[in-house]
Amino acid sequence: MDVKIIGNGVWGKAIYSVVKKNVPTVSFLLRGEKATVRDVLILSVPTQSIREALQLISFKEKHGIVINTAKGIEKNTHYLPQQIVREAFGEGARYYSLLGPSFANEVVDEMPTIVNLGYTDENPLNQDVRNLFLTPYFRVRLTQNIEALELSGAFKNIYAIACGFANGLGYGANTRAKLLVLAIEEMSELHANLGHKMEVNMTAGTLGDLILTCNSIESRNFRFGSYLATHKKDEALALVKSTVEGLDSLASVEYFKKKAKTKLRLASFICELVSIDKPKSAKKNFEDFVALT
């Protein structure tokens, strides 16, 4: 397989460091270069940039392979990455999603890591694609429910903002644990109402990713929430100096609330928290929420 990575940010480079061990010819797709049907394309760009990145891909044949690594929801359309790719190519590409608890710098440092590779149907190629990433320190579990995997990846970024906010106010592990419990209960109801079957082998990309993102300042979403406790939104974003996927995904909370016919109380509260844009008022609202929920 000829592997091309679209996006040479920190995560793209981390993925490159893994795939390079199995495919010495892996490379980044350069601006102006077109992918061919022989290539396996790995999308390592933010969700809001996927549609633009797909313009670099010219294949339509069914044996083209696209692997997403973004965690988020496209604003306006409320599409998950899978839906964006399907709209562009129909069934003209085999689609996978590689998601899980994996900070880029720790992957580069070869710290033991486990993620999920979501696929759409049973096929011998699934194992071949898994093997592109498999190393002694980077373990990959296959799972078929891509929609549940991608939705979890998007919502865990939203919940990380709340945990970061708690951290910024000086709350400790107990409060983060409480927020995690609320998030897990909320995500469970969301998936159940949408008819998602939550398989045991997709724990890495659902609960594992949630736990990691909600408990570390390395997470951009957690860091944004922490800054938001004492700064206005634009100031907090400037301090993060990177894409905050959870902030973009907030635009879809109301959509999924209606689609799943569920309240999404914590996610809705985070929308409110971000929109206040006055640290003192937001602090009071947060204190009331964690005390009464």
Side-chain angles (χ1 to χ4, degrees), residues 134-283:
L134 203 59
T135 74
Y137 65 89
F138 197 84
R139 311 307 293 172
V140 183
R141 290 180 178 174
L142 287 164
T143 182
Q144 189 165 2
N145 200 334
I146 284 185
E147 185 177 353
L149 195 63
E150 292 191 340
L151 191 59
S152 294
F155 267 79
K156 62 92 184 178
N157 285 334
I158 292 173
Y159 298 130
I161 294 173
C163 289
F165 195 89
N167 179 73
L169 291 178
Y171 286 90
N174 283 7
T175 306
R176 287 200 305 277
K178 178 175 182 176
L179 291 169
L180 276 168
V181 168
L182 296 175
I184 291 168
E185 291 173 346
E186 192 162 285
M187 285 176 63
S188 297
E189 184 175 356
L190 175 63
H191 287 305
N193 287 10
L194 291 174
H196 295 158
K197 182 181 178 182
M198 304 304 290
E199 303 168 357
V200 173
N201 67 343
M202 66 188 298
T203 305
T206 53
L207 294 182
D209 212 0
L210 176 71
I211 292 167
L212 180 74
T213 308
C214 289
N215 279 293
S216 176
I217 201 71
E218 285 189 60
S219 160
R220 292 166 295 174
N221 297 280
F222 184 97
R223 202 156 65 245
F224 169 74
S226 189
Y227 290 137
L228 193 65
T230 52
H231 295 77
K232 290 189 174 183
K233 182 174 72 174
D234 289 344
E235 295 169 343
L237 276 172
L239 288 167
V240 174
K241 300 177 183 177
S242 189
T243 302
V244 179
E245 290 271 27
L247 187 58
D248 290 327
S249 296
L250 286 175
S252 296
V253 168
E254 194 64 30
Y255 169 83
F256 280 100
K257 186 193 299 188
K258 292 178 181 177
K259 183 178 181 180
K261 297 179 180 178
T262 183
K263 293 180 179 179
L264 293 179
R265 286 183 179 140
L266 179 55
S268 297
F269 172 71
I270 298 166
C271 290
E272 178 187 332
L273 199 66
V274 172
S275 68
I276 291 172
D277 215 20
K278 293 179 181 178
K280 287 185 179 179
S281 298
K283 177 178 182 290

Side-chain angles (χ1 to χ4, degrees), residues 45-116:
V45 297
T47 302
Q48 309 308 321
S49 301
I50 289 177
R51 202 172 286 276
E52 179 184 357
L54 295 180
Q55 296 174 11
L56 298 173
I57 306 175
S58 60
F59 60 76
K60 292 287 186 181
E61 290 86 346
K62 289 185 177 180
H63 52 286
I65 296 173
V66 177
I67 305 168
N68 164 66
T69 66
K71 304 169 184 177
I73 305 168
E74 187 178 50
K75 291 190 292 187
N76 301 322
T77 65
H78 310 298
Y79 280 0
L80 296 168
Q82 176 187 224
Q83 294 167 291
I84 303 171
V85 174
R86 288 298 180 212
E87 185 174 86
F89 297 116
E91 298 303 316
R94 294 201 63 80
Y95 180 84
Y96 297 86
S97 210
L98 186 78
L99 304 175
S102 48
F103 288 140
N105 64 318
E106 294 190 19
V107 171
V108 172
D109 289 341
E110 301 188 4
M111 298 289 183
T113 301
I114 187 166
V115 299
N116 279 128

